[in-house]
Amino acid sequence: MSAPRRSTRISLRSEPSDVEMAEASPKRRTSSPKKKPPTDQRPPHIESAKHEIVGEDFIQNTYDGYLNRRDYQKYLDRIEIKIVNDDTENATIEFDLLNVEAPIANTIRRIMIAEVPTMAIDKVCLYQNDTVFQDEVLCHRLGLIPIRADARNFNFRTKLAVEPDEYTEPETKETENLVFDINVKCKKKKVVPADAKDKNDHFENSIVRSGDFVWEPIGDQATTFKKNPPSMVHDDIVILKMRHGQEIEAKCICYKGIGRDHAKFSPVGTASYRLLPEIVLNRPIHGEPAERLQKAFSKGVIEIDSDGFANVVDSRADTLSRNVFRYDDLKDAVEIRRKKNHFIFSVESVGQYEPGDIVTEACGVMVAKVSGFREALKKLIAS
């Protein structure tokens, strides 16, 4: 006989929700934490008041909260620019920018690369192309040829309500465009020198170069640019090579643009900066260790005097290779640092502008951006 079955009762009651528990529990008063007033304390390693904004050991960034008051006029008065090397022949300039924050230095660098406007070929009306180059590849090569023309004399292109299709020749304006024509045909020479070894010597116009372009003035451009007519920066850039019977004919239209839109508008080949190296000898180094120390750095950084002691004479020439730290007896005798407020700029122009003009234009663009932001902020506050 089996045992009697026990009856069970199932409860379908659900757990109380968070809202119900909050209503059932007595309300507590929560006191909000008191906000501490801002302090004007400097970091522990800052002693002198001369480093309030920018110094060799400390840079007061805009997001730091150590100082609430700043003497901006004093900050501006301390900014220095020193031109170290202005090589017009090689289109390069090296200059030092002192006592500014890293974001400002980087802004100037980026504007030089991407926001200083130039003129470049942007539309190509290709009438004839019998060469081995595809039309798209050829047009792309033409667009990368640097144009010697001052973009400050032109306006940015006007946005049209309806853009023309690829088969319609675009309208040109003397205030916006430059036009260059090219029409070259390769032929066999009737008379070939007996000692000709190069195959190109057997043909006329076998190599098409940038010097083959002809500027076609629009409107009064011939009068406006009479003293300095637009041209290619270099006449010896090889565009393509042809053989007998091949021909190229095109009309190239230049527009004003910036490197942010396309790299062909960038006026610089390189625009970079680095911090000034600082090399400190912690103890005198004499004799054979001094010679090893000299070889561990770039040429001209370390010199050995008549008594055989090593001295730092030009830390700027160092490339921060840190080879000295390979020697156990020297690595504790040398400190290699960088001055945070000393930026060494190196700018190489493609050829549209002088390198110094690129720096000036970049600063002008930055000022215009700041002025535009200030006006927009005023309108926002007034609204």
Side-chain angles (χ1 to χ4, degrees), residues 8 52 96 113 165 252 270 344:
T8 59
E52 282 190 350
D96 293 357
I113 295 173
D165 56 31
C252 303
T270 56
I344 302 174

Side-chain angles (χ1 to χ4, degrees), residues 78-224:
R78 293 183 60 202
I79 297 177
E80 298 181 46
I81 297 179
K82 299 179 181 179
I83 298 177
V84 178
N85 183 23
D86 188 1
D87 190 350
T88 306
E89 183 178 354
N90 294 318
T92 59
I93 187 173
E94 183 179 344
F95 67 94
D96 293 357
L97 181 61
L98 285 73
N99 300 323
V100 298
E101 298 176 344
I104 295 177
N106 193 46
T107 299
I108 296 175
R109 180 191 67 86
R110 295 188 63 172
I111 291 177
M112 285 191 289
I113 295 173
E115 298 196 50
V116 174
T118 62
M119 301 295 291
I121 296 173
D122 197 60
K123 299 289 184 181
V124 178
C125 302
L126 197 58
Y127 304 128
Q128 187 71 22
N129 178 26
D130 297 332
T131 67
V132 296
F133 274 87
Q134 295 91 343
D135 293 350
E136 296 82 1
V137 177
L138 176 59
C139 294
H140 184 265
R141 287 177 64 86
L142 297 178
L144 295 176
I145 301 173
I147 309 296
R148 180 180 281 113
D150 194 342
R152 291 169 289 192
N153 297 324
F154 297 88
N155 301 326
F156 285 99
R157 73 181 71 190
T158 304
K159 292 185 178 180
L160 302 177
V162 179
E163 292 291 337
D165 56 31
E166 58 181 336
Y167 301 105
T168 304
E169 188 171 314
E171 180 185 358
T172 57
K173 301 179 181 179
E174 63 176 308
T175 57
E176 295 182 5
N177 306 111
L178 287 172
V179 175
F180 290 91
D181 291 340
I182 185 169
N183 188 359
V184 182
K185 186 174 183 178
C186 181
K187 299 179 181 179
K188 282 186 178 180
K189 289 183 178 179
K190 296 181 179 180
V191 179
V192 180
D195 58 346
K197 296 181 180 180
D198 192 348
K199 292 183 179 180
N200 294 321
D201 295 335
H202 295 259
F203 303 94
E204 294 179 358
N205 302 324
S206 61
I207 301 178
V208 181
R209 293 182 171 87
S210 54
D212 295 324
F213 283 91
V214 179
W215 172 51
E216 293 295 336
I218 308 172
D220 295 332
Q221 286 185 349
T223 305
T224 305

